[in-house]
Amino acid sequence: MTTVGDEQSAQTSPAGGKALDVDRLREDFPILDQELSGQPLVYLDTAATSQKPRCVLEAIACYYENDNSNIHRGVHTLSARATAAYEAARETVRSFLGAREAAEIVFVRGATEAINLVAGSFGRAKVGEGDEIVVSEMEHHSNIVPWQILCEESGARLRVAPIDERGELLLEELEKMLGPRTRLVAVAHVSNALGTVNPVREIARMVHDCGAVLLVDGAQAAAHLALDVRELDCDFYAFSGHKTYGPTGIGALYGKSELLREMPPWQGGGEMVLSVSFEETIYNEVPHKFEAGTPNVAGAIGLAAAIDYLAGLGIESVRRHESDLIAYSEEALLAVPGLSLIGRPRDKCAVHSFVLDGIHPHDVGTILDGEGIAIRTGHHCAQPTMKRFGLPATARASFGIYNTRADIDRLVAGLDRVHEVMG
Ligand code: PMP
């Protein structure tokens, strides 16, 4: 059977850049080739975690089979190889983010750890009684709670920039909140609950005009948008490898080098020091000052393989493909009786949150699972966003490079099934 999606994947986009050959690239993702509940799996939960292409799995296995060793400290060959691979991965992340220097890339466990690092280091050094931190109403808990902890400890105040009914940040309201007390603004590049793409460049200008710094939570952006931290002019950028076709347990924090150099260490331990004595301990240079303990070497290597894979597809082609999926699914979902999309931002990326009249999102998710379709339901770790829309939870379908229009047709058919079952 030929679907509209199949025809689409064979075309060359009129705007230049090749359309993704999705049928081909799906073969790179072994996990997709399985049945759930007797139906071929449709994976629509990439915003929670992406699936991993075989090249990432192979890069990790190859590292453990051939080069595994602790890094930076050994004189032997395996240690030198592992160190070289780890530092090469840092260079890959630097280039992916458009950072100036590899020293501006700190490997962390993921976006959550990156944000905690900034709150714990920059925050501890620069934020005091009466200062203000500003977040938006569409943040993931990972970009709220670390700032709440910092505010509790420092006596600073957390302010919240509101969003409108479309799920867009009210920029004028944000601007009004910024002032001489503002130390840091933290916003998502893309909202995980609404799919909103925030105008980071414009926000950076406002934030810098008032002398504060901007942290961007890129957890939902890194796999979908072309990134250039210098162009965005953010001071910090955080993302997770596992949402970017890489492994779990690895991610990166970008920080402008002048900021990272000034910041105190966050965690103490091996690797982040040049020398230790009971009289005086001298810290290592950035980025090592922020990488205490043995890092996730295999994770960094896997992440670099994922970035190379994405780069090989071409991020413009990825964006084009996913924009098509968003537009196609928006039309298809709006035709489902009783369905409301939550958040209708003008610039949307890879996520649709929705509710069905009178049916709990968990029932939607459970019935779809019985049809072989994986979506996410709940508050998506964005309870304040849910509250803004007066909802405890939504159903969320999120897309990646391997999804097709046929997957969306299956989702819509699954929602018909939900209506049948729930009567
Ligand atoms: N921010 C956003 C917008 C997210 O979607 C997520 C993950 N759902 C995070 C932060 C946290 O990412 P991680 O759990 O990988 O640290």
Side-chain angles (χ1 to χ4, degrees):
M1 189 180 83
T2 304
T3 66
V4 186
D6 295 330
E7 286 160 20
Q8 168 91 8
S9 65
Q11 290 169 3
T12 299
S13 153
K18 281 207 151 183
L20 291 185
D21 184 349
V22 179
D23 289 343
R24 229 283 316 128
L25 79 79
R26 283 178 65 87
E27 290 168 12
D28 296 333
F29 291 83
I31 199 169
L32 296 178
D33 185 22
Q34 65 175 296
E35 296 199 339
L36 286 188
S37 315
Q39 308 256 24
L41 165 67
V42 170
Y43 188 74
L44 294 173
D45 197 18
T46 291
T49 198
S50 61
Q51 298 303 349
K52 325 300 174 199
R54 192 175 277 107
C55 62
V56 168
L57 312 179
E58 286 172 357
I60 295 167
C62 177
Y63 165 72
Y64 279 124
E65 282 171 10
N66 296 290
D67 303 325
N68 177 50
S69 180
N70 212 326
I71 59 167
H72 291 144
R73 297 156 229 189
V75 292
H76 60 79
T77 303
L78 289 188
S79 178
R81 274 199 231 143
T83 304
Y86 182 72
E87 292 304 328
R90 196 189 307 278
E91 171 56 26
T92 302
V93 175
R94 182 208 64 75
S95 156
F96 177 61
L97 294 179
R100 199 183 305 272
E101 308 167 31
E104 296 180 315
I105 307 299
V106 181
F107 280 121
V108 287
R109 276 196 297 131
T112 303
E113 187 168 87
I115 297 168
N116 276 278
L117 190 163
V118 176
S121 168
F122 175 90
R124 189 156 34 94
K126 302 275 183 192
V127 178
E129 180 93 39
D131 287 341
E132 293 180 354
I133 305 286
V134 181
V135 297
S136 87
E137 210 178 2
M138 71 173 90
E139 299 311 313
H140 187 279
H141 297 166
S142 297
N143 202 22
I144 299 175
V145 183
W147 308 119
Q148 289 177 321
I149 295 170
L150 173 64
C151 287
E152 252 173 51
E153 288 173 0
S154 64
R157 175 177 172 217
L158 186 67
R159 303 195 65 187
V160 183
I163 60 176
D164 64 14
E165 198 55 30
R166 283 177 175 277
E168 290 182 0
L169 186 55
L170 290 165
L171 291 178
E172 323 75 62
E173 298 302 316
L174 169 65
E175 192 157 29
K176 276 191 230 154
M177 273 179 196
L178 305 178
R181 309 248 57 157
T182 316
R183 290 287 161 270
L184 180 139
V185 176
V187 292
H189 197 171
V190 173
S191 151
N192 69 311
L194 307 170
T196 312
V197 182
N198 279 317
V200 169
R201 185 73 194 82
E202 211 177 326
I203 296 170
R205 186 194 47 73
M206 290 177 188
V207 172
H208 292 149
D209 280 353
C210 84
V213 302
L214 175 65
L215 176 140
V216 177
D217 170 3
Q220 293 298 337
H224 308 287
L225 304 179
L227 299 179
D228 185 336
V229 288
R230 276 184 282 175
E231 221 273 307
L232 294 173
D233 199 22
C234 54
D235 300 286
F236 298 106
Y237 196 95
F239 79 99
S240 299
H242 72 95
K243 296 184 197 279
T244 315
Y245 306 107
T248 50
I250 189 75
L253 169 70
Y254 156 80
K256 281 185 181 160
S257 62
E258 56 276 23
L259 285 169
L260 289 180
R261 289 199 169 98
E262 273 181 12
M263 282 159 50
W266 179 49
Q267 294 179 328
E271 187 60 30
M272 53 75 70
V273 282
L274 289 176
S275 72
V276 176
S277 73
F278 288 116
E279 291 70 41
E280 187 191 28
T281 288
I282 300 172
Y283 303 130
N284 207 339
E285 297 297 320
V286 292
H288 310 293
K289 181 172 77 178
F290 295 110
E291 293 182 1
T294 301
N296 184 353
V297 181
I301 290 166
L303 174 58
I307 289 173
D308 287 343
Y309 180 81
L310 256 185
L313 296 176
I315 198 71
E316 292 306 327
S317 300
V318 168
R319 177 73 167 141
R320 193 180 314 281
H321 173 65
E322 293 176 352
S323 299
D324 174 73
L325 293 176
I326 276 286
Y328 181 80
S329 54
E330 178 161 329
E331 200 178 326
L333 288 172
L334 287 173
V336 172
L339 185 146
S340 308
L341 285 178
I342 306 304
R344 306 285 304 274
R346 282 162 289 188
D347 194 359
K348 199 178 210 197
C349 179
V351 165
H352 281 309
S353 251
F354 60 91
V355 288
L356 284 183
D357 263 355
I359 304 177
H360 196 282
H362 288 315
D363 291 329
V364 176
T366 306
I367 295 166
L368 288 177
D369 183 53
E371 301 293 305
I373 302 163
I375 63 155
R376 184 138 301 239
T377 61
H379 54 58
H380 316 295
C381 293
Q383 282 182 306
T385 317
M386 296 293 113
K387 190 173 171 205
R388 163 66 183 78
F389 288 93
L391 296 164
T394 69
R396 182 186 73 184
S398 58
F399 309 118
I401 47 179
Y402 31 63
N403 291 119
T404 61
R405 288 185 174 197
D407 289 344
I408 293 158
D409 297 340
R410 284 272 309 278
L411 171 65
V412 170
L415 293 173
D416 288 345
R417 179 85 191 121
V418 171
H419 276 127
E420 266 168 47
V421 173
M422 299 304 290

